[in-house]
Amino acid sequence: MSWLNLEGKVAIVTGGASGLGKAVCEGLAEVGAKIVVADIDKEGAKQTAAELKEKFGGEHISTATDVTSKASVDAMIQATLDAFGSVNIMVNNAGINIPRLLVDPAGKEELTEEIWDKVVSINQKGLFLCAQAAARVMIKAGNGGVIINMASESGSEGSEGQSVYAATKAAVYNLTRSWAKELGKHNVRVVGVAPGILEPTALRSEEYERALVYTRGITIEKLRERYKKAAIPLGRSGKLSEVANTVCFLASDRSAYIHGTVINVSGGKTRA
Ligand SMILES: NC(=O)c1ccc[n+]([C@@H]2O[C@H](COP(=O)([O-])OP(=O)(O)OC[C@H]3O[C@@H](n4cnc5c(N)ncnc54)[C@H](O)[C@@H]3O)[C@@H](O)[C@H]2O)c1
């Protein structure tokens, strides 16, 4: 038995095909968990599950899942039960970010109803649908479980040019706290992780950076400086594996008394 004792546990990771979600899949697979890589990117999810088998052995599957659709989330849960018979760990990681200004006097990059609905639907409604479906299974099985929600430090700090993203991440803090109050009696723990600035993922696309520097009136070079030093006491961006390690700890009984809180993983950039 390893220190984390996660061998054989069944973990669903949404947005597991790339970036942070993929790193979380790797971290959990490395310590012996069975992974369900759930992503709207069907081929990417399949590829990640194949890589997990190749690198770490064990049993892993993928599902083509759109977290904004209840039918799709229900199918993800059913596929997990068909393959592994239980759900022990639900990692709500899928998320997007589209920088826009509330008001752009130049009329170029303003927050629209369409962008608002899209970001809220994935980052907030998706989290609700997945948590609810997973919690139902965990409560019925009666063996407890862990729900881990991916927040962001912007959820407590706010973020210039990223108000709708920051608002959905603020909701993640409060959903985590509220669900913890509801699910504790069923021995289902609910926790969150709030990363700061991380090494690049698909989320930090060219289009994302272009829109963000526009909303802040700065250059790309200035923005990239922030990734390294200026505001980060540890003087560097975080590694995806460092966030994944935190998720593995929270998924394990080594963190059995951590419940209803969001762990900040930002290299000291923020405290909340
Ligand atoms: N990268 C960072 O610096 C950073 C910092 C703080 C928080 N986060 C959070 O980490 C999470 C992952 O971000 P990332 O940087 O790895 O981004 P990413 O773009 O690399 O990965 C996001 C994944 O989510 C999937 N996805 C998108 N819409 C989906 C949907 N409707 N249903 C299912 N899957 C969907 C994408 O296909 C992709 O695989 C997000 O919640 C993000 O807010 C990231």
Side-chain angles (χ1 to χ4, degrees):
M1 192 207 292
S2 69
W3 191 73
L4 289 175
N5 194 18
L6 286 172
E7 290 87 350
K9 296 285 185 193
V10 177
I12 302 175
V13 182
T14 66
S18 81
L20 189 49
K22 186 171 180 179
V24 168
C25 290
E26 289 174 346
L28 288 168
E30 191 177 354
V31 293
K34 298 173 185 176
I35 312 298
V36 178
V37 185
D39 204 293
I40 201 163
D41 173 4
K42 184 181 175 184
E43 286 311 311
K46 214 191 241 179
Q47 169 81 19
T48 298
E51 283 174 29
L52 295 177
K53 271 184 210 163
E54 172 93 23
K55 267 193 193 164
F56 308 109
E59 299 172 71
H60 313 289
I61 64 165
S62 65
T63 61
T65 301
D66 177 357
V67 296
T68 68
S69 152
K70 183 175 183 310
S72 184
V73 168
D74 287 346
M76 168 189 86
I77 295 288
Q78 194 54 53
T80 305
L81 293 175
D82 291 347
F84 302 131
S86 60
V87 179
N88 306 118
I89 301 155
M90 176 77 238
V91 184
N92 286 315
N93 165 80
I96 61 164
N97 187 358
I98 305 174
R100 289 292 184 273
L101 288 167
L102 179 63
V103 177
D104 178 7
K108 287 188 190 157
E109 301 288 355
E110 212 167 84
L111 191 53
T112 61
E113 197 179 352
E114 192 191 359
I115 289 173
W116 176 276
D117 287 345
K118 186 170 180 185
V119 177
V120 169
S121 185
I122 295 172
N123 293 10
Q124 207 168 314
K125 180 185 169 190
L127 196 96
F128 145 60
L129 290 175
C130 292
Q132 184 179 57
R136 278 194 179 126
V137 171
M138 289 170 181
I139 290 170
K140 193 169 171 202
N143 302 317
V146 189
I147 295 171
I148 301 169
N149 299 322
M150 199 55 74
S152 155
E153 58 161 358
S154 68
S156 61
E157 296 290 311
S159 183
E160 185 182 7
Q162 308 187 101
S163 59
V164 61
Y165 175 77
T168 61
K169 294 302 182 178
V172 173
Y173 277 75
N174 238 298
L175 293 170
T176 300
R177 293 176 191 133
S178 301
W179 292 337
K181 290 175 197 263
E182 294 180 18
L183 299 179
K185 59 171 128 356
H186 301 289
N187 196 26
V188 174
R189 286 192 299 116
V190 189
V191 287
V193 177
I197 295 173
L198 302 179
E199 61 188 308
T201 65
L203 190 138
R204 200 194 290 172
S205 63
E206 230 171 79
E207 169 53 21
Y208 163 81
E209 286 194 326
R210 188 202 57 72
L212 189 60
V213 298
Y214 176 85
T215 64
R216 294 183 178 179
I218 57 174
T219 61
I220 289 264
E221 290 67 36
K222 185 106 185 141
L223 179 73
R224 290 183 181 161
E225 266 171 37
R226 292 189 57 243
Y227 297 156
K228 292 189 195 122
K229 334 182 200 48
I232 309 173
L234 279 182
R236 62 175 177 84
S237 305
K239 295 178 188 158
L240 301 180
S241 62
E242 291 169 327
V243 181
N245 287 343
T246 307
V247 171
C248 290
F249 171 68
L250 291 173
S252 80
D253 282 347
R254 293 287 173 180
S255 65
Y257 206 55
I258 300 179
H259 184 50
T261 192
V262 176
I263 308 293
N264 174 284
V265 188
S266 73
K269 181 166 171 280
T270 52
R271 286 169 300 155

